[in-house]
Amino acid sequence: MSVHYQRHGDIGVIQIANPPVNALSHAVRSGLVNALEEGINDTQAKALVVLADGRTFIAGADIREFGKPPQAPLLPDVINQLEACPKPLIAALHGTALGGGLEVALGCHYRVALEGTRVGLPEVKLGLLPGAGGTQRLPRLVGVERALEMITSGRFVEAEDALEAGIIDAISSAATPFEAGVAAANEILAGNQTPRITGKLPAPMANPQAIASTLERLNQESPALFSPFRIVEAVEASITAESLQDGLRRERELFLACMDSPQRAGLIHLFFAARNPHLVPGVESADVFKQVALIGEVPLFDLLQKAAQKAGITLTSAPDDASELCLLAPNAPGGSAMACPVVALETIGTSSDRDTALSLIIAENTTMVELVNHRADALTQQQAALTLKALRLSVVVSQQQSLLHSLHAASQQASASEKQSSLEKASRRIAEQGFCYRESDIDLLAVEALGYPRHLGGPHRQATLKDTPL
């Protein structure tokens, strides 16, 4: 079972167990409704606590359901039932409460968080808006200005800031969500704390200045994007709607408009492209190199030094008998005679005559890098990629020729008005030549390293869409 109910004394506990991040799958949504009903009907339970197993509370929607027809119960209906619970309902948060996870918490009557918890509504990053009450309940707690900033940016908020803003009611030093939740429930039953039913709070005060300044910022920063402007409309509805239910209906209309937007499809495509671009096909198991030599000087090496200790990787400034991998800065001597695998670093747009089995292409102002395999075996490339990932780099693996070099060259040769179409043409060639392991890797690199518009999903995706007959 993804959700189960158990009473401890006079406290009923609704426990979510859907590893790894307790995503709001159909089974979790159904389980929440069933466990809530069980808790309401348990005459010995005077208060209820919602919490989750593992390393986090609910980290959002279930990505396995993206693109599939929604199944009842829908999340807005689940949250409405939580909010209507006749008994005090406490959410005990830990790890992260994101997207629908925070919306579940907002539907509860009291929110206690363990130290280090972060909350957020990051749906804008997928071309969406919070569609289960987030744009209506959050402004009732924090006001219009703060809600607009938080939802249009999608940023995560630390527990201390969430407490100060009024998103949560308390921070607990307890060791577990269970201990924090039960303690909060007992405080409420003793009359020492007062629950807040968010939907029964008055609508937020009108703030036309906050709305105007948000629209001005969005028009400057991201005028081509669709969902941020729909977020503003939804938050406006929290002020102007005659009731919470009217505001929720307007939110749902705007959410469905975002779902139908081509931008949502492009951003979802990139979301999946960013999952595991470092995996080499055909390699089922590989270990991280623990002894790495950094030869020469390059700013990237400073970043690696900061991440090495946490990753359990030893970095040296010269190769020795223990070295398992060598990273060679562009102007550093050496390469071919070294006993361990050598990765030659290249800055995007520069050529190199180094004869190494692997090369690492670096773009400015990003931690996104490309690890190109010229003649190493697949296992070595995978081990090198895992090592770089452990050192906090976002790694895309490729073969034979650099995707980044090819894309950059196409971009540089085109006029400003032709850059997008030039990248789209180049992406076709790259895919046909087989330099990428996944075609979505072309899109990921073009967006993250070369500034191709994120909401379009990448040049290869756009080229493919143009090939598809209407």
Side-chain angles (χ1 to χ4, degrees):
M1 289 178 59
S2 297
V3 184
H4 61 270
Y5 173 82
Q6 189 174 26
R7 185 168 41 79
H8 299 264
D10 55 2
I11 309 297
V13 176
I14 298 170
Q15 195 154 353
I16 303 165
N18 184 31
V21 293
N22 296 309
L24 285 160
S25 65
H26 175 253
V28 170
R29 298 194 303 273
S30 299
L32 278 170
V33 171
N34 294 334
L36 177 66
E37 183 178 359
E38 191 175 350
I40 292 171
N41 292 333
D42 183 350
T43 57
Q44 296 184 64
K46 297 178 181 178
L48 304 178
V49 174
V50 177
L51 53 82
D53 288 347
R55 58 186 170 89
T56 191
F57 188 64
I58 301 167
D62 191 333
I63 62 171
R64 294 170 295 186
E65 296 182 5
F66 282 8
K68 297 180 181 178
Q71 288 182 279
L74 301 182
L75 185 59
D77 299 326
V78 174
I79 293 171
N80 286 340
Q81 292 185 54
L82 291 170
E83 192 166 70
C85 177
K87 301 177 181 181
L89 179 61
I90 296 92
L93 313 180
H94 74 293
T96 56
L98 303 176
L102 179 55
E103 289 176 302
V104 165
L106 296 177
C108 295
H109 307 160
Y110 188 91
R111 287 160 293 282
V112 59
L114 295 190
E115 295 169 348
T117 302
R118 296 187 298 165
V119 303
L121 295 170
E123 287 87 348
V124 68
K125 296 177 181 179
L126 297 180
L128 295 171
L129 57 78
T135 66
Q136 304 304 300
R137 292 188 175 92
L138 186 65
R140 282 170 161 78
L141 292 171
V142 305
V144 167
E145 183 175 6
R146 215 160 205 160
L148 282 171
E149 188 281 324
M150 186 172 163
I151 304 174
T152 58
S153 70
R155 72 179 180 91
F156 295 177
V157 178
E158 302 293 336
E160 293 79 7
D161 293 334
L163 178 64
E164 183 270 330
I167 302 170
I168 63 175
D169 298 284
I171 298 174
S172 173
S173 59
T176 66
F178 174 83
E179 293 173 20
V182 169
N186 284 323
E187 286 290 292
I188 288 170
L189 291 176
N192 298 325
Q193 294 291 340
T194 304
R196 295 181 296 166
I197 299 177
T198 313
K200 291 186 178 180
L201 296 175
M205 292 181 61
N207 192 337
Q209 183 177 351
I211 290 171
S213 61
T214 299
L215 288 172
E216 182 180 358
R217 173 175 59 81
L218 293 175
N219 279 310
Q220 290 177 350
E221 295 177 357
S222 51
L225 296 187
F226 183 76
S227 68
F229 294 93
R230 305 295 80 75
I231 288 168
V232 176
E233 292 180 47
V235 172
E236 277 189 291
S238 74
I239 305 165
T240 59
E242 292 186 3
S243 68
L244 173 69
Q245 291 308 315
D246 287 342
L248 291 173
R249 278 191 287 272
R250 180 59 177 150
E251 176 191 78
R252 194 67 184 172
E253 291 171 1
L254 293 165
F255 174 80
L256 293 174
C258 291
M259 284 290 289
D260 289 338
S261 165
Q263 293 186 8
R264 191 271 312 178
L267 291 165
I268 293 287
H269 170 75
L270 276 179
F271 173 82
F272 282 108
R275 295 177 63 83
N276 302 324
H278 64 287
L279 295 184
V280 178
V283 180
E284 295 184 3
S285 177
D287 296 323
V288 171
F289 290 124
K290 294 294 187 181
Q291 303 284 335
V292 179
L294 307 181
I295 304 170
E297 295 183 2
V298 67
L300 180 69
F301 286 172
D302 295 332
L303 293 176
L304 303 190
Q305 294 281 4
K306 294 176 183 177
Q309 185 173 0
K310 190 171 182 180
I313 295 172
T314 300
L315 301 180
T316 60
S317 58
D320 56 32
D321 291 343
S323 298
E324 299 173 292
L325 182 71
C326 294
L327 302 184
L328 193 60
N331 297 321
S336 57
M338 296 180 188
C340 62
V342 177
V343 179
L345 274 63
E346 300 176 17
T347 304
I348 187 171
T350 62
S351 59
S352 172
D353 56 0
R354 291 187 185 274
D355 183 25
T356 57
L358 295 163
S359 58
L360 188 71
I361 317 304
I362 308 166
E364 291 183 5
N365 303 319
T366 177
T367 58
M368 179 70 68
V369 295
E370 179 192 4
L371 182 65
V372 188
N373 188 354
H374 302 295
R375 62 173 190 278
D377 61 84
L379 177 60
T380 298
Q381 184 185 22
Q382 185 63 86
Q383 288 182 281
L386 290 173
T387 304
L388 294 167
K389 188 171 186 295
L391 291 169
R392 310 301 294 171
L393 297 180
S394 299
V395 185
V396 174
V397 289
S398 62
Q399 58 185 344
Q400 299 177 52
Q401 291 188 28
S402 164
L403 314 184
L404 266 177
H405 279 331
S406 298
L407 291 168
H408 181 264
S411 175
Q412 292 298 107
Q413 292 164 10
S415 64
S417 62
E418 295 293 325
K419 282 187 184 298
Q420 287 189 27
S421 60
S422 180
L423 285 171
E424 289 161 14
K425 291 175 184 176
S427 73
R428 293 175 192 263
R429 293 193 300 270
I430 293 168
E432 290 168 358
Q433 292 166 331
F435 299 149
C436 57
Y437 293 127
R438 309 180 312 171
E439 292 172 348
S440 61
D441 292 335
I442 303 171
D443 293 327
L444 185 62
L445 288 168
V447 169
E448 298 296 347
L450 297 175
Y452 187 91
R454 179 176 295 275
H455 64 275
L456 297 179
H460 188 268
R461 179 178 183 275
Q462 285 297 310
T464 303
L465 287 175
K466 291 173 181 176
D467 287 341
T468 304
L470 297 175

